[in-house]
Amino acid sequence: MSEGSPSSGLSRAAEEYEFVKSGLPPLKWPSRGGKEVRGKEHEVFFRGKRVWKYQIGPALHPILQGKKLAVREALPTEYLARLTLQNQLFGDDLRVEGALSSGKIVTSQTTIKGGDPVEKEIETTLGDLGWQRIPTQFHSLPHNLMATAWIHPVERVVMVDARCPNFKKTVSGDVLAIDLMLAPANHEMLQLFVS
């Protein structure tokens, strides 16, 4: 994908939104009703066996800025790659359902019955899966994302936003990830962040 040609006046992100939107079924905003939750990235609609997530704000993408972990607005293809990584690494079943006229992406995943885990349960689960916490001295993250970054040296993936609202605890006690910012970790990230 090009960086956006001066003649078209479109940025790379705008070109990608148009490209992604063109390959997805067009969807409209749902009618109100049922349980709903609004976050910074998604408005979430609980519809029986599936939870539908409508992108409302920019998705974020972990990057290396100098020698610190930061985030920037994700391109649509980076957002889609993040969903794929969540399915692969956490056994999720995120599905891309379509796109709004704005190009924002609509996804769904299985509704999880249970409650919210505590921070220690999330730390234990991630540690058992081979994730290592990235010390805060290596963070250049927004305040709400501080101390939420991890790296998986074997899978070569970096993660941000690993905090309570993005995990659910099943009735059987398993802690499952539901919405994480995931990206491939480059060589420099592995050198800096892996203990």
Side-chain angles (χ1 to χ4, degrees):
M1 178 102 20
S2 70
E3 290 291 326
S5 64
S7 60
S8 72
L10 290 177
S11 69
R12 179 175 176 198
E15 284 183 352
E16 282 201 14
Y17 272 113
E18 286 304 313
F19 174 76
V20 168
K21 184 173 78 169
S22 71
L24 295 175
L27 295 176
K28 293 187 177 182
W29 200 259
S31 58
R32 301 289 177 196
K35 189 174 179 186
E36 301 163 13
V37 176
R38 185 179 177 98
K40 290 189 177 190
E41 283 186 327
H42 305 103
E43 187 152 354
V44 180
F45 295 83
F46 297 85
R47 300 291 186 257
K49 294 184 183 229
R50 304 281 303 166
V51 175
W52 286 64
K53 294 181 175 183
Y54 288 72
Q55 237 187 336
I56 55 171
L60 298 178
H61 182 74
I63 60 166
L64 192 61
Q65 193 172 59
K67 295 189 180 284
K68 296 198 175 211
L69 188 65
V71 291
R72 65 161 167 74
E73 190 170 328
L75 295 169
T77 51
E78 291 167 334
Y79 179 70
L80 293 173
R82 157 183 157 178
L83 302 177
T84 300
L85 283 170
Q86 180 147 335
N87 285 344
Q88 291 171 345
L89 298 173
F90 293 98
D92 208 336
D93 70 338
L94 280 159
R95 297 180 197 160
V96 177
E97 300 288 356
L100 301 171
S101 59
S102 64
K104 297 290 189 185
I105 297 167
V106 179
T107 61
S108 75
Q109 65 193 133
T110 299
T111 300
I112 299 169
K113 294 185 188 219
D116 298 320
V118 296
E119 183 69 31
K120 187 65 180 162
E121 291 172 312
I122 293 169
E123 288 177 6
T124 300
T125 297
L126 292 176
D128 289 348
L129 293 172
W131 292 89
Q132 295 179 16
R133 188 181 283 281
I134 299 173
T136 54
Q137 74 251 31
F138 294 113
H139 294 199
S140 182
L141 296 166
H143 177 73
N144 65 316
L145 297 177
M146 288 298 288
T148 68
W150 295 71
I151 193 163
H152 199 296
V154 175
E155 298 292 343
R156 301 176 64 93
V157 174
V158 66
M159 168 179 31
V160 176
D161 211 13
R163 56 194 177 103
C164 293
N166 296 320
F167 289 83
K168 287 292 175 201
K169 186 175 179 180
T170 67
V171 291
S172 62
D174 295 325
V175 175
L176 304 177
I178 59 168
D179 188 22
L180 300 169
M181 297 173 196
L182 299 160
N186 63 30
H187 178 73
E188 192 174 0
M189 287 177 177
L190 292 166
Q191 293 286 98
L192 286 168
F193 305 146
V194 175
S195 54

